[in-house]
Amino acid sequence: MSGGKKRLCNSCKDARAVLRRPKTMDSLCRECFYEAFETEVHETIMKYNLFKAGEKVALAASGGKDSTVLAHVVTTLNARYGYGLDLLLLSIDEGISGYRDDSLDTVKRNEETYGIPLHVFSYKDLYGWTMDEIVEAVGKKNNCTFCGVFRRQALDRGAHLVGATKMATGHNADDIAETVLLNLLRSDVPRLGRCSSAITGDECSLPRVKPFKYTYEKEIVMYAYFKRLDYFSTECKYSPFAARGLAREFVKDLEAARPRAIIDLVKSAERLRINDSAKIVMSKPGTCRNCGYLSSQDVCKACILLEGLNKGIPQLGIGKSRGGSRDRALQRSNNEKAKSSNGSCANGAPCDCKQSSHLTHNYLKNVEKIEAHPAARFT
């Protein structure tokens, strides 16, 4: 404020402005900000036809600001505009002590607040490992690779188990801008070509949608703050070791220098055109021959990573093999397990199945209510 006068809202011209939107620089009062925020999300939903009446939509819920605001806004818009959606909350318990257990308490309160049924699935039930156990095995250098791959498939598995036909995530414009930069740095042409899409996997049985595609993280925080929404704000204790953190800092620096930088990165990715020579290396989505879930390769990344964990060679599937050392380690592990099994499964029962099936026999004896990964480890 200057000269002792209050700064008025650029929209209603009456109430006092409480914030300035970073991508438009408009000064808005609280009520006009709510309207602008919710209207933009609704316009994104309409522009990309994200939802259809009668769909059962799983809202990926972590208890953080993005997923909490997603649950609030989609519930509000569903009632206001008559989308006709059957909504549910879907959470994944990665098994991170002091973090996920606390955030799940927030999700459970959101279930009561919004009247949306909650379904929780855990890494332990799906894969036989908690994230804490994985970090103990692999260290903190590549742990986010395991968590990212397993979490994505866990959400798919959970959504299928509860009968969802579509999944909505809280990925915002900042997240997409960071992903664009990371894919550029990795020269990952296939992902660069689709990372800015508001809907992915529309060719499979469970498409994913991003209603917050054009929504800034700052505005999500302000919306949650002004609405007094109940969300969990503590970061994962392993996140400081993630490569994405560097991209996040760079995007924040760009935004500080030029507020529209985030939305411009998203728009730039939208306008990218992949030439014919690059399209040759772009794999079409299919299904993994081991677990049957979506994969662009014959065997999905989750199966490869889980195999490495189960065989005591967690580096399997991470980076490139140097001089065949990783392959030799895998072969030695297979030979040792084959000798020790001596024609029996791990539970001691006689068995004429191949060694790769032993874990499957074990998990069938331990899991009754959840469809675990075929190679899940249970001890």
Side-chain angles (χ1 to χ4, degrees):
M1 294 185 294
S2 60
K5 295 182 180 180
K6 66 179 182 180
R7 185 176 61 193
L8 295 179
C9 172
N10 292 152
S11 181
C12 68
K13 311 294 184 183
D14 181 41
R16 182 175 68 86
V18 295
L19 60 82
R20 175 174 288 176
R21 303 191 69 194
K23 61 184 174 185
T24 65
M25 302 309 292
D26 288 335
S27 297
L28 299 178
C29 67
R30 193 172 298 192
E31 293 302 320
C32 288
F33 169 60
Y34 296 157
E35 182 180 359
F37 185 97
E38 293 166 4
T39 298
E40 284 191 0
V41 175
H42 172 65
E43 289 174 348
T44 300
I45 291 172
M46 293 294 101
K47 177 180 179 180
Y48 294 103
N49 195 26
L50 299 187
F51 301 126
K52 294 181 177 64
E55 287 184 323
K56 188 172 185 177
V57 180
L59 304 176
S62 65
K65 62 184 185 313
D66 297 318
S67 64
T68 299
V69 173
L70 178 72
H72 179 90
V73 171
V74 172
T75 302
T76 299
L77 298 180
N78 189 37
R80 180 183 301 167
Y81 296 104
Y83 292 163
L85 305 177
D86 180 10
L87 301 174
L88 62 93
L89 296 173
L90 178 62
S91 292
I92 302 301
D93 180 3
E94 300 94 340
I96 302 174
S97 60
Y99 168 68
R100 184 54 72 205
D101 41 3
D102 292 335
S103 68
L104 284 175
D105 290 337
T106 304
V107 180
K108 292 172 183 176
R109 292 194 296 271
N110 287 337
E111 177 187 21
E112 299 176 0
T113 300
Y114 302 116
I116 306 175
L118 169 65
H119 301 272
V120 182
F121 300 93
S122 72
Y123 279 12
K124 190 67 174 178
D125 286 336
L126 290 170
Y127 304 112
W129 294 77
T130 65
M131 199 58 216
D132 286 339
E133 291 170 341
I134 292 174
V135 171
E136 185 177 350
V138 307
K140 295 179 179 179
K141 184 177 180 180
N142 295 305
N143 60 286
C144 288
T145 297
F146 285 83
C147 193
V149 171
F150 287 166
R151 179 176 173 77
R152 181 176 179 84
Q153 191 189 84
L155 283 169
D156 285 344
R157 286 179 173 273
H160 280 297
L161 285 170
V162 299
T165 55
K166 188 167 287 181
M167 188 187 309
T169 66
H171 290 97
N172 56 53
D174 298 54
D175 296 324
I176 296 174
E178 293 162 13
T179 304
V180 170
L181 288 176
L182 286 171
N183 287 332
L184 279 171
L185 292 172
R186 296 166 178 160
S187 190
D188 194 332
V189 175
R191 286 189 175 88
L192 185 60
R194 62 176 180 262
C195 67
S196 64
S197 299
I199 181 167
T200 56
D202 51 345
E203 71 284 346
C204 68
S205 60
L206 186 70
R208 291 187 176 213
V209 297
K210 305 170 190 171
F212 290 163
K213 174 181 175 178
Y214 297 121
T215 307
Y216 275 37
E217 183 179 44
K218 280 184 178 179
E219 295 195 354
I220 291 174
V221 172
M222 295 305 294
Y223 187 91
Y225 172 76
F226 287 133
K227 285 283 188 178
R228 299 181 182 276
L229 301 184
D230 182 8
Y231 69 91
F232 186 75
S233 58
T234 302
E235 284 195 10
C236 172
K237 63 185 181 181
Y238 301 127
S239 65
F241 307 98
R244 180 173 286 271
L246 300 175
R248 181 174 295 116
E249 291 179 9
F250 183 59
V251 168
K252 295 304 180 188
D253 289 341
L254 288 175
E255 182 188 11
R258 186 169 176 272
R260 278 195 56 86
I262 291 175
I263 205 69
D264 286 343
L265 275 169
V266 176
K267 295 286 188 180
S268 296
E270 289 177 345
R271 297 187 182 104
L272 283 175
R273 295 293 179 267
I274 309 299
N275 61 34
D276 292 338
S277 61
K279 287 180 180 178
I280 295 175
V281 301
M282 296 175 66
S283 302
K284 292 183 178 180
T287 55
C288 172
R289 63 177 170 83
N290 285 354
C291 68
Y293 276 81
L294 187 67
S295 175
S296 59
Q297 305 296 328
D298 188 38
V299 178
C300 72
K301 191 73 169 179
C303 282
I304 295 174
L305 293 175
L306 190 56
E307 181 183 9
L309 286 171
N310 290 335
K311 292 179 179 296
I313 45 174
Q315 69 272 26
L316 184 69
I318 298 178
K320 297 180 178 179
S321 175
R322 295 183 178 179
S325 58
R326 191 177 65 194
D327 296 333
R328 288 195 295 271
L330 177 58
Q331 186 60 49
R332 284 197 301 271
S333 177
N334 286 337
N335 292 340
E336 291 172 0
K337 288 181 180 293
K339 290 179 180 178
S340 62
S341 67
N342 194 28
S344 300
C345 282
N347 61 5
C351 176
D352 60 359
C353 67
K354 294 183 179 179
Q355 182 66 26
S356 60
S357 302
H358 289 164
L359 287 169
T360 304
H361 282 259
N362 289 335
Y363 98 74
L364 287 173
K365 293 180 180 297
N366 286 275
V367 181
E368 296 178 355
K369 297 182 180 180
I370 191 168
E371 182 183 341
H373 189 284
R377 179 201 70 161
F378 292 94
T379 57

